[in-house]
Amino acid sequence: MRTPSEIRARVTESMARLRDGQVGADPRGFLGALRRQVLDDAPARMHLLISARLAEMDKLLDERDALAHSSATTATGVPEVE
């Protein structure tokens, strides 16, 4: 089991990588793997804190997706079909 300081450092470092676009082509997959790794390794008393930080990362990805969708729509005037 990792120490609380190691877990906090891992989550903080992952947030920076996510924010900077350094997680590869599948940021949702990165976040899912991080969620499993960190929560499985963390003491129960840290789960709420970790879940809050992971929710921040989910929100960042949602905002990034919404911005990308908005940009695609306004660039052509027509929504893109996926």
Side-chain angles (χ1 to χ4, degrees):
M1 184 177 287
R2 293 182 181 148
T3 66
S5 62
E6 290 172 330
I7 293 168
R8 282 190 295 274
R10 171 83 168 116
V11 171
T12 298
E13 179 261 334
S14 296
M15 178 62 153
R17 288 184 59 207
L18 187 67
R19 188 177 42 247
D20 296 341
Q22 299 176 350
V23 295
D26 184 14
R28 298 274 179 199
F30 170 83
L31 190 53
L34 176 68
R35 179 174 278 112
R36 287 185 300 278
Q37 291 168 2
V38 174
L39 288 174
D40 286 350
D41 208 23
R45 70 181 187 275
M46 291 189 70
H47 283 207
L48 187 58
L49 172 69
I50 293 166
S51 293
R53 296 288 308 274
L54 293 169
E56 289 177 39
M57 292 183 212
D58 278 326
K59 184 178 177 185
L60 175 68
L61 290 178
D62 291 345
E63 290 169 354
R64 193 174 287 169
D65 290 347
L67 182 61
H69 180 71
S70 174
S71 295
T73 301
T74 54
T76 63
V78 178
E80 281 189 357
V81 177
E82 295 180 355

XYZ file of all heavy atoms in Angstrom:
625
model
N 0.848 -1.187 0.000
C 0.000 0.000 0.000
C 0.889 1.245 0.000
O 1.866 1.316 0.722
C -0.913 -0.016 1.229
C -1.894 1.140 1.247
S -3.056 1.105 2.628
C -4.112 -0.227 2.125
N 0.518 2.201 -0.799
C 1.251 3.464 -0.840
C 0.882 4.326 0.361
O -0.194 4.196 0.924
C 0.919 4.222 -2.118
C 1.421 3.550 -3.354
C 1.088 4.376 -4.579
N 1.579 3.688 -5.750
C 1.011 3.743 -6.931
N -0.054 4.482 -7.118
N 1.505 3.091 -7.941
N 1.784 5.224 0.681
C 1.506 6.145 1.779
C 0.556 7.236 1.290
O 0.461 7.493 0.078
C 2.797 6.807 2.288
O 3.312 7.656 1.250
C 3.838 5.770 2.693
N -0.144 7.899 2.213
C -1.027 9.001 1.805
C -0.296 10.074 0.998
O -0.843 10.586 0.022
C -1.543 9.541 3.135
C -1.563 8.339 4.021
C -0.316 7.574 3.633
N 0.937 10.399 1.352
C 1.663 11.431 0.600
C 1.993 10.951 -0.807
O 1.952 11.732 -1.762
C 2.923 11.874 1.343
O 3.813 10.801 1.500
N 2.294 9.666 -0.980
C 2.551 9.126 -2.322
C 1.282 9.161 -3.168
O 1.331 9.483 -4.369
C 3.065 7.691 -2.229
C 4.463 7.564 -1.673
C 4.868 6.127 -1.406
O 3.988 5.283 -1.102
O 6.070 5.845 -1.512
N 0.170 8.851 -2.549
C -1.106 8.860 -3.271
C -1.477 10.278 -3.681
O -1.869 10.523 -4.825
C -2.207 8.209 -2.417
C -1.901 6.715 -2.265
C -3.586 8.430 -3.030
C -2.724 6.010 -1.235
N -1.340 11.229 -2.770
C -1.630 12.633 -3.111
C -0.722 13.116 -4.241
O -1.184 13.792 -5.165
C -1.489 13.525 -1.882
C -2.672 13.454 -0.939
C -2.618 14.523 0.140
N -1.492 14.357 1.056
C -1.506 13.586 2.140
N -2.600 12.911 2.457
N -0.446 13.501 2.912
N 0.557 12.751 -4.182
C 1.501 13.151 -5.236
C 1.105 12.544 -6.580
O 1.156 13.217 -7.614
C 2.918 12.735 -4.858
N 0.681 11.285 -6.580
C 0.269 10.610 -7.821
C -0.949 11.287 -8.429
O -1.014 11.527 -9.631
C -0.041 9.134 -7.501
C -0.675 8.369 -8.630
C 0.349 7.864 -9.613
N -0.273 6.906 -10.507
C -0.404 7.095 -11.814
N 0.095 8.150 -12.378
N -0.994 6.200 -12.555
N -1.914 11.629 -7.592
C -3.130 12.284 -8.085
C -2.799 13.683 -8.607
O -3.269 14.087 -9.680
C -4.215 12.317 -6.987
C -5.393 13.174 -7.404
C -4.673 10.906 -6.664
N -1.964 14.423 -7.888
C -1.580 15.775 -8.317
C -0.818 15.730 -9.633
O -1.090 16.511 -10.551
C -0.739 16.454 -7.225
O -1.532 16.565 -6.037
C -0.270 17.833 -7.653
N 0.119 14.803 -9.748
C 0.906 14.660 -10.976
C 0.008 14.261 -12.142
O 0.136 14.763 -13.259
C 2.012 13.619 -10.742
C 2.892 13.343 -11.943
C 2.496 12.084 -12.703
O 1.903 11.178 -12.103
O 2.768 12.028 -13.914
N -0.948 13.382 -11.887
C -1.873 12.946 -12.942
C -2.765 14.089 -13.406
O -3.055 14.209 -14.599
C -2.720 11.777 -12.450
O -1.897 10.666 -12.187
N -3.212 14.930 -12.478
C -4.025 16.096 -12.842
C -3.236 17.025 -13.757
O -3.758 17.507 -14.758
C -4.487 16.836 -11.580
C -5.293 18.080 -11.869
S -6.822 17.703 -12.757
C -7.846 19.051 -12.237
N -1.970 17.249 -13.431
C -1.130 18.110 -14.266
C -0.958 17.506 -15.653
O -1.049 18.214 -16.670
C 0.225 18.329 -13.596
N -0.714 16.207 -15.729
C -0.561 15.549 -17.027
C -1.844 15.632 -17.844
O -1.806 15.889 -19.044
C -0.169 14.084 -16.844
C 1.259 13.905 -16.355
C 1.669 12.461 -16.262
N 1.543 11.830 -17.572
C 1.320 10.532 -17.741
N 1.183 9.733 -16.708
N 1.219 10.028 -18.953
N -2.972 15.441 -17.182
C -4.263 15.516 -17.858
C -4.519 16.931 -18.370
O -4.905 17.132 -19.520
C -5.372 15.084 -16.903
C -6.766 14.952 -17.483
C -6.813 13.807 -18.477
C -7.758 14.709 -16.368
N -4.287 17.913 -17.524
C -4.498 19.317 -17.878
C -3.604 19.735 -19.055
O -4.012 20.489 -19.923
C -4.228 20.189 -16.662
C -4.582 21.638 -16.833
C -4.368 22.480 -15.578
N -3.134 22.164 -14.881
C -3.052 21.603 -13.662
N -4.139 21.280 -12.999
N -1.888 21.358 -13.113
N -2.363 19.174 -19.089
C -1.412 19.535 -20.136
C -1.522 18.672 -21.385
O -0.753 18.836 -22.324
C 0.014 19.452 -19.593
C 0.280 20.452 -18.479
O -0.483 21.440 -18.357
O 1.244 20.250 -17.718
N -2.480 17.740 -21.386
C -2.685 16.893 -22.561
C -1.599 15.850 -22.755
O -1.322 15.447 -23.877
N -0.998 15.383 -21.683
C 0.111 14.426 -21.768
C -0.286 13.016 -21.343
O 0.518 12.284 -20.793
C 1.269 14.907 -20.888
C 1.833 16.228 -21.296
C 2.922 16.702 -20.335
O 3.129 16.138 -19.277
N 3.612 17.753 -20.719
N -1.528 12.638 -21.608
C -1.995 11.314 -21.185
C -2.285 10.389 -22.355
O -2.846 9.317 -22.171
C -3.239 11.428 -20.276
C -2.895 12.125 -18.985
C -4.387 12.095 -20.974
N -1.912 10.776 -23.548
C -2.137 9.926 -24.707
C -3.479 10.195 -25.373
O -4.167 11.167 -25.075
N -3.853 9.281 -26.245
C -5.042 9.469 -27.074
C -6.346 9.152 -26.358
O -7.410 9.488 -26.857
C -4.928 8.605 -28.326
N -6.270 8.521 -25.197
C -7.483 8.103 -24.487
C -7.490 8.648 -23.055
O -7.229 7.908 -22.104
C -7.584 6.574 -24.476
C -8.861 6.072 -23.840
O -9.801 6.877 -23.635
O -8.925 4.864 -23.546
N -7.797 9.940 -22.895
C -7.780 10.505 -21.544
C -8.808 9.870 -20.615
O -8.572 9.730 -19.414
C -8.051 11.989 -21.743
C -8.531 12.152 -23.131
C -8.099 10.950 -23.901
N -9.948 9.427 -21.143
C -10.950 8.764 -20.296
C -10.416 7.417 -19.793
O -10.642 7.039 -18.652
C -12.261 8.552 -21.047
C -12.927 9.820 -21.488
C -13.802 10.384 -20.422
N -14.401 11.635 -20.911
C -14.908 12.524 -20.128
N -14.926 12.355 -18.839
N -15.406 13.642 -20.623
N -9.719 6.712 -20.651
C -9.103 5.452 -20.244
C -8.026 5.668 -19.199
O -7.910 4.900 -18.241
N -7.234 6.726 -19.379
C -6.211 7.093 -18.403
C -6.849 7.358 -17.051
O -6.390 6.853 -16.020
C -5.453 8.342 -18.889
C -4.543 8.948 -17.857
C -3.276 8.439 -17.651
C -4.958 10.032 -17.106
C -2.419 9.006 -16.696
C -4.127 10.601 -16.146
C -2.849 10.083 -15.948
N -7.922 8.114 -17.056
C -8.597 8.465 -15.810
C -9.222 7.235 -15.152
O -9.158 7.067 -13.935
C -9.648 9.543 -16.064
C -10.278 10.183 -14.851
C -9.245 10.719 -13.872
C -11.213 11.304 -15.283
N -9.790 6.351 -15.937
C -10.360 5.125 -15.390
C -9.295 4.242 -14.744
O -9.496 3.700 -13.649
N -8.157 4.107 -15.411
C -7.063 3.305 -14.854
C -6.524 3.944 -13.583
O -6.257 3.251 -12.599
C -5.951 3.154 -15.892
N -6.389 5.257 -13.590
C -5.925 5.969 -12.403
C -6.898 5.746 -11.248
O -6.482 5.464 -10.117
C -5.792 7.466 -12.696
C -5.404 8.339 -11.508
C -3.977 8.039 -11.062
C -5.548 9.812 -11.870
N -8.180 5.855 -11.538
C -9.213 5.664 -10.513
C -9.060 4.284 -9.856
O -9.040 4.162 -8.637
C -10.597 5.821 -11.137
C -11.743 5.623 -10.184
C -13.089 5.938 -10.829
N -13.317 7.376 -10.785
C -13.346 8.183 -11.834
N -13.190 7.697 -13.043
N -13.542 9.464 -11.705
N -8.934 3.243 -10.672
C -8.798 1.889 -10.135
C -7.510 1.736 -9.327
O -7.533 1.206 -8.213
C -8.832 0.856 -11.260
C -10.219 0.661 -11.857
C -10.241 -0.446 -12.886
N -9.357 -0.214 -14.019
C -9.661 0.542 -15.068
N -10.830 1.142 -15.142
N -8.804 0.692 -16.060
N -6.402 2.208 -9.864
C -5.113 2.055 -9.193
C -5.086 2.776 -7.854
O -4.674 2.200 -6.840
C -3.986 2.608 -10.065
C -3.708 1.818 -11.301
C -2.796 2.570 -12.257
O -2.344 3.670 -11.979
N -2.522 1.968 -13.407
N -5.501 4.011 -7.852
C -5.380 4.827 -6.649
C -6.375 4.395 -5.577
O -6.007 4.245 -4.409
C -5.525 6.328 -6.992
C -5.560 7.171 -5.749
C -4.374 6.777 -7.883
N -7.620 4.186 -5.943
C -8.605 3.803 -4.940
C -8.329 2.405 -4.372
O -8.539 2.168 -3.179
C -10.022 3.884 -5.499
C -10.545 5.302 -5.704
C -11.900 5.278 -6.392
C -10.628 6.073 -4.397
N -7.835 1.494 -5.195
C -7.497 0.158 -4.705
C -6.336 0.199 -3.720
O -6.246 -0.629 -2.825
C -7.138 -0.777 -5.863
C -8.342 -1.221 -6.666
O -9.483 -0.965 -6.229
O -8.142 -1.815 -7.742
N -5.453 1.170 -3.900
C -4.234 1.249 -3.115
C -4.353 2.183 -1.908
O -3.470 2.205 -1.059
C -3.092 1.721 -4.023
C -1.740 1.228 -3.568
O -1.680 0.209 -2.854
O -0.737 1.867 -3.929
N -5.408 2.950 -1.837
C -5.537 3.974 -0.792
C -6.276 3.447 0.428
O -7.188 2.632 0.302
C -6.286 5.184 -1.348
N -5.910 3.964 1.593
C -6.690 3.627 2.779
C -8.098 4.221 2.665
O -8.303 5.247 2.004
C -5.917 4.267 3.931
C -4.900 5.154 3.329
C -4.785 4.839 1.880
N -9.057 3.578 3.284
C -10.463 3.985 3.183
C -10.666 5.453 3.567
O -11.498 6.137 2.975
C -11.332 3.086 4.047
N -9.900 5.948 4.514
C -10.081 7.330 4.969
C -9.739 8.357 3.894
O -10.120 9.511 4.002
C -9.258 7.595 6.227
C -7.765 7.625 6.000
C -6.999 7.878 7.302
N -5.596 8.074 7.077
C -4.697 7.102 6.976
N -5.079 5.844 7.104
N -3.434 7.379 6.759
N -9.042 7.939 2.835
C -8.670 8.857 1.752
C -9.623 8.797 0.569
O -9.520 9.607 -0.338
C -7.245 8.559 1.275
C -6.171 8.899 2.265
S -4.541 8.754 1.515
C -4.559 10.167 0.390
N -10.532 7.849 0.551
C -11.373 7.649 -0.630
C -12.197 8.883 -0.991
O -12.327 9.202 -2.175
C -12.273 6.436 -0.441
C -11.545 5.141 -0.634
N -12.162 4.006 -1.048
C -10.234 4.813 -0.466
C -11.278 3.028 -1.137
N -10.101 3.498 -0.780
N -12.730 9.573 -0.022
C -13.543 10.755 -0.317
C -12.691 11.856 -0.957
O -13.095 12.457 -1.955
C -14.218 11.270 0.955
C -15.225 12.402 0.767
C -16.340 11.985 -0.182
C -15.812 12.806 2.105
N -11.521 12.094 -0.415
C -10.614 13.104 -0.970
C -10.208 12.748 -2.399
O -10.252 13.577 -3.306
C -9.368 13.240 -0.095
C -8.254 14.120 -0.651
C -8.683 15.575 -0.670
C -6.989 13.946 0.168
N -9.842 11.494 -2.597
C -9.425 11.044 -3.927
C -10.585 11.140 -4.907
O -10.416 11.605 -6.046
C -8.877 9.610 -3.856
C -7.563 9.586 -3.058
C -8.670 9.029 -5.244
C -7.117 8.203 -2.654
N -11.759 10.730 -4.479
C -12.930 10.797 -5.357
C -13.226 12.234 -5.772
O -13.607 12.487 -6.922
C -14.146 10.182 -4.667
O -13.948 8.807 -4.497
N -13.044 13.173 -4.865
C -13.257 14.589 -5.195
C -12.250 15.057 -6.241
O -12.613 15.768 -7.187
C -13.166 15.451 -3.934
N -11.006 14.661 -6.087
C -9.983 15.054 -7.068
C -10.241 14.408 -8.424
O -10.067 15.040 -9.471
C -8.584 14.664 -6.567
C -8.128 15.369 -5.302
C -7.780 16.838 -5.488
N -6.847 17.122 -6.540
C -5.513 17.089 -6.436
N -4.952 16.785 -5.303
N -4.740 17.379 -7.471
N -10.670 13.156 -8.414
C -10.994 12.478 -9.674
C -12.207 13.129 -10.342
O -12.262 13.227 -11.569
C -11.231 10.992 -9.427
C -9.995 10.197 -8.995
C -10.397 8.810 -8.520
C -8.971 10.110 -10.106
N -13.158 13.605 -9.551
C -14.318 14.314 -10.099
C -13.878 15.609 -10.778
O -14.434 15.993 -11.814
C -15.339 14.602 -9.001
N -12.874 16.283 -10.211
C -12.320 17.485 -10.851
C -11.757 17.133 -12.225
O -11.915 17.888 -13.189
C -11.198 18.086 -10.007
C -11.617 18.739 -8.727
C -10.403 19.225 -7.937
O -9.441 19.733 -8.545
O -10.420 19.083 -6.704
N -11.077 15.988 -12.309
C -10.498 15.563 -13.582
C -11.602 15.220 -14.584
O -11.494 15.556 -15.774
C -9.571 14.373 -13.363
C -8.324 14.723 -12.595
S -7.245 13.277 -12.446
C -6.495 13.607 -10.853
N -12.662 14.551 -14.120
C -13.810 14.261 -14.992
C -14.403 15.561 -15.540
O -14.721 15.665 -16.727
C -14.911 13.509 -14.226
C -14.654 12.018 -14.120
O -14.085 11.435 -15.059
O -15.034 11.444 -13.087
N -14.543 16.547 -14.673
C -15.107 17.837 -15.081
C -14.215 18.510 -16.120
O -14.705 19.065 -17.107
C -15.276 18.743 -13.866
C -15.935 20.056 -14.188
C -16.132 20.902 -12.943
C -16.722 22.244 -13.339
N -16.836 23.144 -12.200
N -12.899 18.446 -15.924
C -11.968 19.006 -16.897
C -12.154 18.357 -18.259
O -12.212 19.048 -19.283
C -10.524 18.832 -16.409
C -9.427 19.262 -17.363
C -9.430 20.777 -17.548
C -8.070 18.806 -16.859
N -12.283 17.039 -18.281
C -12.493 16.343 -19.555
C -13.839 16.698 -20.172
O -13.932 16.870 -21.389
C -12.384 14.832 -19.364
C -10.987 14.305 -19.063
C -11.028 12.801 -18.854
C -10.007 14.665 -20.168
N -14.878 16.815 -19.355
C -16.194 17.212 -19.866
C -16.136 18.600 -20.492
O -16.692 18.827 -21.573
C -17.240 17.201 -18.754
C -17.580 15.801 -18.268
O -17.241 14.824 -18.970
O -18.173 15.695 -17.169
N -15.458 19.525 -19.825
C -15.333 20.890 -20.356
C -14.531 20.889 -21.648
O -14.878 21.586 -22.602
C -14.668 21.799 -19.324
C -15.556 22.089 -18.130
C -14.816 22.763 -16.985
O -13.575 22.912 -17.048
O -15.494 23.136 -16.005
N -13.483 20.103 -21.690
C -12.651 20.005 -22.898
C -13.463 19.411 -24.054
O -13.396 19.900 -25.188
C -11.429 19.146 -22.600
C -10.373 19.240 -23.663
C -9.139 18.488 -23.263
N -8.440 19.217 -22.216
C -7.432 18.730 -21.508
N -7.009 17.505 -21.714
N -6.843 19.463 -20.599
N -14.261 18.377 -23.766
C -15.118 17.776 -24.802
C -16.158 18.767 -25.307
O -16.405 18.864 -26.511
C -15.823 16.528 -24.266
C -14.887 15.355 -24.033
O -13.732 15.389 -24.512
O -15.322 14.404 -23.346
N -16.767 19.519 -24.394
C -17.779 20.505 -24.780
C -17.156 21.597 -25.637
O -17.754 22.032 -26.630
C -18.430 21.116 -23.546
N -15.963 22.023 -25.288
C -15.272 23.057 -26.061
C -14.931 22.539 -27.455
O -15.120 23.249 -28.444
C -14.003 23.513 -25.331
C -13.202 24.611 -25.989
C -14.036 25.886 -26.113
C -11.938 24.881 -25.217
N -14.461 21.310 -27.533
C -14.125 20.730 -28.835
C -15.371 20.602 -29.702
O -15.342 20.902 -30.895
C -13.472 19.369 -28.653
N -16.475 20.191 -29.091
C -17.736 20.065 -29.843
C -18.215 21.436 -30.306
O -18.649 21.608 -31.437
C -18.792 19.388 -28.980
C -20.102 19.220 -29.686
N -20.267 18.319 -30.712
C -21.288 19.857 -29.546
C -21.504 18.410 -31.156
N -22.147 19.324 -30.468
N -18.115 22.423 -29.441
C -18.529 23.782 -29.787
C -17.676 24.343 -30.909
O -18.176 24.967 -31.834
C -18.429 24.675 -28.550
O -18.684 26.010 -28.888
N -16.373 24.092 -30.848
C -15.464 24.582 -31.889
C -15.767 23.930 -33.220
O -15.722 24.578 -34.262
C -14.008 24.301 -31.501
O -13.664 25.025 -30.356
N -16.069 22.641 -33.207
C -16.382 21.938 -34.444
C -17.666 22.476 -35.054
O -17.786 22.604 -36.266
C -16.506 20.437 -34.180
N -18.636 22.828 -34.231
C -19.913 23.351 -34.722
C -19.741 24.741 -35.292
O -20.229 25.039 -36.378
C -20.955 23.380 -33.591
O -21.122 22.054 -33.105
C -22.272 23.907 -34.082
N -19.025 25.619 -34.600
C -18.902 26.992 -35.061
C -17.951 27.129 -36.246
O -18.094 28.038 -37.038
C -18.430 27.922 -33.927
O -17.233 27.414 -33.364
C -19.496 28.081 -32.882
N -17.031 26.214 -36.400
C -16.097 26.301 -37.525
C -16.816 26.108 -38.856
O -16.487 26.746 -39.849
C -14.979 25.275 -37.374
N -17.802 25.228 -38.881
C -18.500 24.938 -40.126
C -19.915 25.494 -40.159
O -20.528 25.553 -41.216
C -18.589 23.414 -40.346
O -19.357 22.845 -39.280
C -17.214 22.778 -40.412
N -20.429 25.865 -38.982
C -21.813 26.318 -38.901
C -22.788 25.157 -38.824
O -23.967 25.340 -38.654
N -22.258 23.938 -38.975
C -23.086 22.739 -38.943
C -22.453 21.776 -37.932
O -21.247 21.552 -37.969
C -23.130 22.066 -40.331
C -23.942 20.787 -40.291
C -23.669 23.033 -41.358
N -23.244 21.201 -37.050
C -22.671 20.242 -36.103
C -22.052 19.051 -36.814
O -22.563 18.587 -37.828
C -23.865 19.791 -35.270
C -24.943 20.790 -35.504
C -24.674 21.405 -36.840
N -20.908 18.589 -36.283
C -20.278 17.404 -36.849
C -21.068 16.173 -36.469
O -21.639 16.088 -35.398
C -18.860 17.242 -36.298
C -17.852 18.121 -36.956
C -16.435 17.761 -36.513
O -16.267 16.875 -35.662
O -15.529 18.386 -37.033
N -21.102 15.219 -37.366
C -21.748 13.938 -37.102
C -20.650 12.952 -36.765
O -19.698 12.830 -37.510
C -22.550 13.459 -38.324
C -23.144 12.087 -38.053
C -23.607 14.475 -38.679
N -20.821 12.277 -35.627
C -19.783 11.316 -35.219
C -20.086 9.952 -35.716
O -21.139 9.532 -35.930
C -19.652 11.309 -33.695
C -19.160 12.634 -33.193
C -19.032 12.626 -31.672
O -19.412 11.644 -31.019
O -18.537 13.610 -31.158
